[in-house]
Amino acid sequence: MDRPSSSAEHGVEARGVTRAFGTVPALRGMDITVPYGQVTALVGPNGAGKTTLLLILATLLAPDAGHIRVAGHDLRADPEAARVHLGWMPDVFGVYDQLTVDEYLAFFADAYRLPAAERPRRIRALLALVHLEEYLGQPVHVLSRGQKQRLGVARSLIHKPRVLLLDEPASGLDPRSRVELRDLLRSLAAEGVAVLVSSHVLGELEEMADRVVLVDHGRTVGEHRMGDLAGAARPRWRVRALDPGGLAAALDGRPEVGEVSELPGGCELGPLTEAQAAGLLADLVARKVPVVEFGPATGALESVYLAMTENRR
Amino acid sequence: MGARVRGARLVAVQEVRIRLRTGRWKALLAVWALLVNGLGLLFRLSLESGDHGDDDPQGVPMFGGVLLAVLALCLLITPALTGQSVNGDRERGTLAALQLTRLTPADIALGKLAAAWGTGLLVLALTLPCVLLPVLEGVITPGRAAATLAVTGLLIGVVCALSQAWSALVARSITSVLLSYLTVLALFGGTLLLFALAQPLTVEPRYYSSSSGTRYAYERERPELVWWLLAPNPVVVLADAAPRLPPHIETDGDVSTSSEPDNDPLGDLGRSVREMRAGNGNYHEGGPVWPYGLAFDLLLAGGAFWVTTRRLRTPVRRTAKGVRLA
Ligand SMILES: Nc1ncnc2c1ncn2[C@@H]1O[C@H](COP(=O)(O)OP(=O)(O)O)[C@@H](O)[C@H]1O
Ligand SMILES: [Mg+2]
């Protein structure tokens, strides 16, 4: 395989991408960087433009404006060159129900011009990767929705792409499959692939992604390292004590702890930063409140996301 | 070159495999073969029962009649085979992944066209028993059968290409199938209608002086100006392209008269369009009409193929309203 030009530091670099459908703007200036060897999450509410951005990055849709490089190739000048290095899985897709699982993958192997000698090994390896080995030779239509989703992942990996774009891959997956998807994406990133995942399932992204790009109303509103988010976030906190009455009394008349709502055996309060929360916990312990649980009620990503969507409403 | 053939073949094989595994293809094809061949034989029997002179071999009208019916039926089946080849895949969400592979738009268009045309030719092949019966009887030469079957096959390909272009242009597969049927209707009926409407416009006044010096005025139509409107009609192309039968020679004592063979639908049709090309007042036939018609139809198909290829290109700039790309 030809290597992308050495100047390419990132799998995807996009600046100022705009796209309108008719008179309705879907993207109003998106910026995104997807480094090699990392999983980047694309997060935003419905209609934010995630799918549209991924279609543009996948060379299916032309942007109205903006500079985009994928695997080092300018999409305007040479989309075909970028395609060779690009794996893409749409949010909703069809499989050829009449084929068997291995026929399906073999067709795409041929379409990507994989050497015929390499094909059977590659198909077996991919089916093992997405835990569908036992479906070798089975028709695609016997697969469940989640299994089809995994077959889609296998398809998008058939030509060993250096850049992988996945649109809501976790939807329709059971918890076990989600954990497996997370491990799969992490191992691909460890091999140097630039992975971009759009999702609503914020809890999983937190464990899966290295970076997060927040988008809303067609604009990029933030690009963060996942590690930095925890410090910056102001989530609500969940506190449980052996003596709920004592806890309530200790919190009474203290506006700095935010809005307090009762929960069985305790309460939820906040939003507080990690430093504020640590201070509050020390104070409660000093007042001899028997605290048995003190933790963020939402993940850091979720609280950033909720704050963002609240501001924009 | 090698890559184009390989890519198109990959797509064609995939299409055929999916078609064969969808629905009851074998049963449908068997029913088709039984129906057409059964009707062909019935047609032959009815010809025989109405037969009076036994020097007219009934294989001639059978061949012409059956072939015209087969042409019409095949061209009516074809839109159903091809009318959703592109937008059907888009609706099922399988097209975009294909477009991202190293297959080019022309590979995809060519492969799908080959699969559809191949299916159309298979449908045609199933009618061969009753089409070829007159050949086995020795009434129709193998050359005439080969030429007419080749033209029928080409016309099926033309309708495939046109239907495919509709399926690439229009978002909904129901709409594109409908438009494909309208296109076939336009080729069959539209050309006739246009000709019928245009011919009266060619009327010109003529004068005739009798021996006594009186001038009479009369009007004359000039079909030689508008014959080309009929040329794209598949029936006209097929009939006129059929090689002519040898003239009928009747010997009465020493005098032998040669006349056109009776009961040859293809030859009759071909002669009448050639007479139109020659114009009124000419008592000889004009030149052949079918090369113009076939060339026009093939050009139309070429344009349709180009449209399909263009519509398969990515990245897409304009998107249809309310249609998912992927
Ligand atoms: N083909 C289309 N035609 C018209 N509007 C579209 C089309 N695709 C997307 N949009 C609009 O663009 C906006 C962004 O949509 P999308 O990218 O699907 O958002 P997300 O994936 O983040 O939910 C939405 O307002 C949507 O209605
Ligand atoms: Mg979406």
Side-chain angles (χ1 to χ4, degrees):
Chain A
M1 277 274 109
D2 52 331
R3 301 183 60 80
S5 59
S6 55
S7 69
E9 273 182 70
H10 299 306
V12 175
E13 284 175 283
R15 293 288 163 266
V17 182
T18 66
R19 169 78 208 198
F21 292 104
T23 54
V24 183
L27 304 185
R28 310 162 191 246
M30 275 218 192
D31 304 319
I32 190 167
T33 306
V34 185
Y36 286 118
Q38 296 189 24
V39 176
T40 303
L42 182 63
V43 175
N46 280 325
K50 304 180 296 294
T51 297
T52 306
L53 178 68
L54 287 172
L55 285 173
I56 290 173
L57 296 181
T59 76
L60 284 166
L61 183 67
D64 294 335
H67 296 280
I68 309 171
R69 296 178 75 79
V70 173
H73 298 281
D74 188 342
L75 282 200
R76 196 183 297 267
D78 199 356
E80 281 83 11
R83 240 168 241 174
V84 178
H85 303 288
L86 190 99
W88 171 72
M89 192 176 84
D91 48 354
V92 184
F93 62 95
V95 287
Y96 301 104
D97 281 323
Q98 300 83 354
L99 300 189
T100 66
V101 167
D102 42 316
E103 281 173 338
Y104 177 75
L105 292 178
F107 171 67
F108 280 98
D110 286 344
Y112 277 107
R113 301 198 199 145
L114 249 65
E118 205 181 295
R119 222 173 57 185
R121 251 201 8 245
R122 181 89 190 120
I123 291 172
R124 244 167 245 282
L126 280 173
L127 286 178
L129 199 63
V130 298
H131 303 285
L132 289 174
E133 306 102 309
E134 70 269 32
Y135 289 94
L136 193 88
Q138 295 282 317
V140 170
H141 67 79
V142 308
L143 299 184
S144 71
R145 173 158 154 64
Q147 289 169 329
K148 280 183 187 165
Q149 197 86 349
R150 273 145 56 189
L151 183 63
V153 174
R155 193 221 77 223
S156 68
L157 290 172
I158 192 111
H159 55 302
K160 299 188 177 154
R162 294 174 51 82
V163 176
L164 185 60
L165 311 170
L166 304 160
D167 200 356
E168 313 242 355
S171 70
L173 294 191
D174 58 65
R176 174 87 233 141
S177 305
R178 287 184 185 190
V179 172
E180 284 165 3
L181 177 71
R182 182 193 70 197
D183 294 346
L184 171 61
L185 296 188
R186 291 252 41 107
S187 70
L188 287 170
E191 288 166 24
V193 177
V195 183
L196 179 63
V197 202
S198 87
S199 185
H200 286 142
V201 192
L202 302 173
E204 261 107 21
L205 285 179
E206 223 151 318
E207 298 155 38
M208 186 193 290
D210 303 290
R211 302 173 63 260
V212 56
V213 176
L214 294 163
V215 293
D216 194 16
H217 286 94
R219 284 205 182 79
T220 304
V221 293
E223 260 190 276
H224 308 279
R225 295 198 53 79
M226 205 54 97
D228 301 341
L229 272 184
R234 289 180 69 223
R236 285 174 65 77
W237 299 78
R238 200 165 279 168
V239 188
R240 222 157 51 80
L242 291 179
D243 170 19
L247 175 64
L251 292 172
D252 201 30
R254 298 179 63 175
E256 74 271 19
V257 302
E259 189 189 322
V260 180
S261 47
E262 292 247 345
L263 285 180
C267 64
E268 202 181 290
L269 50 81
L272 299 177
T273 63
E274 286 192 332
Q276 289 168 331
L280 175 64
L281 176 60
D283 183 59
L284 290 175
V285 172
R287 289 169 184 238
K288 301 261 191 292
V289 180
V291 175
V292 289
E293 189 186 315
F294 194 113
T298 56
L301 180 56
E302 194 173 340
S303 57
V304 169
Y305 173 86
L306 289 175
M308 171 188 86
T309 49
E310 194 170 62
N311 290 345
R312 303 239 151 196
R313 204 174 289 147
Chain B
M1 153 68 194
R4 164 67 35 83
V5 171
R6 220 173 325 127
R9 197 181 57 200
L10 180 65
V11 176
V13 167
Q14 169 85 339
E15 284 275 313
V16 169
R17 192 159 55 175
I18 287 172
R19 271 162 197 253
L20 284 182
R21 291 186 194 174
T22 312
R24 298 195 165 80
W25 270 95
K26 281 177 199 142
L28 272 179
L29 289 176
V31 168
W32 162 255
L34 280 176
L35 205 71
V36 172
N37 291 304
L39 284 176
L41 286 178
L42 266 180
F43 178 52
R44 176 61 181 268
L45 288 178
S46 77
L47 284 174
E48 297 285 357
S49 67
D51 191 9
H52 301 299
D54 29 18
D55 51 339
D56 288 339
Q58 293 305 321
V60 174
M62 179 193 182
F63 181 78
V66 166
L67 203 63
L68 287 175
V70 162
L71 174 76
L73 287 176
C74 283
L75 295 195
L76 282 178
I77 289 177
T78 306
L81 297 177
T82 330
Q84 40 184 312
S85 79
V86 175
N87 52 14
D89 273 14
R90 209 171 259 143
E91 283 170 345
R92 283 188 289 275
T94 55
L95 187 65
L98 202 59
Q99 288 173 298
L100 284 192
T101 66
R102 299 186 66 180
L103 295 169
T104 63
D107 291 343
I108 299 175
L110 197 62
K112 281 177 170 290
L113 181 64
W117 195 1
T119 315
L121 291 180
L122 176 66
V123 167
L124 176 62
L126 290 176
T127 68
L128 283 183
C130 73
V131 171
L132 291 186
L133 182 65
V135 180
L136 291 179
E137 290 174 331
V139 180
I140 300 288
T141 61
R144 190 178 212 221
T148 46
L149 284 172
V151 169
T152 309
L154 273 179
L155 289 172
I156 290 175
V158 166
V159 174
C160 282
L162 292 172
S163 305
Q164 194 186 34
W166 283 126
S167 83
L169 277 171
V170 176
R172 303 258 164 267
S173 55
I174 310 166
T175 321
S176 60
V177 170
L178 189 69
L179 285 167
S180 306
Y181 274 111
L182 288 178
T183 309
V184 172
L185 193 67
L187 280 179
F188 275 112
T191 50
L192 269 178
L193 189 70
L194 271 182
F195 178 79
L197 292 175
Q199 203 181 5
L201 302 178
T202 64
V203 163
E204 58 168 24
R206 301 281 292 197
Y207 303 99
Y208 159 75
S209 305
S210 71
S211 49
S212 62
T214 331
R215 264 165 51 97
Y216 297 97
Y218 67 98
E219 289 184 334
R220 196 176 80 165
E221 286 181 337
R222 302 190 57 195
E224 71 271 23
L225 296 179
V226 288
W227 62 272
W228 47 269
L229 282 172
L230 279 178
N233 190 311
V235 171
V236 170
V237 173
L238 176 67
D240 193 41
R244 290 298 150 81
L245 294 174
H248 198 77
I249 312 274
E250 238 167 275
T251 318
D252 187 10
D254 294 340
V255 193
S256 60
T257 47
S258 118
S259 61
E260 300 295 350
D262 305 323
N263 264 337
D264 173 21
L266 297 179
D268 292 347
L269 259 166
R271 264 188 300 281
S272 53
V273 287
R274 287 188 192 198
E275 276 160 19
M276 286 178 192
R277 188 178 169 193
N280 278 336
N282 265 317
Y283 295 105
H284 58 85
E285 274 182 20
V289 168
W290 68 270
Y292 298 92
L294 192 59
F296 177 87
D297 290 342
L298 290 176
L299 271 180
L300 212 59
F305 184 76
W306 179 81
V307 167
T308 308
T309 308
R310 266 204 79 94
R311 294 287 295 195
L312 284 169
R313 274 197 214 160
T314 49
V316 173
R317 247 159 242 296
R318 294 167 42 115
T319 55
K321 261 211 178 83
V323 174
R324 301 176 43 80
L325 266 175

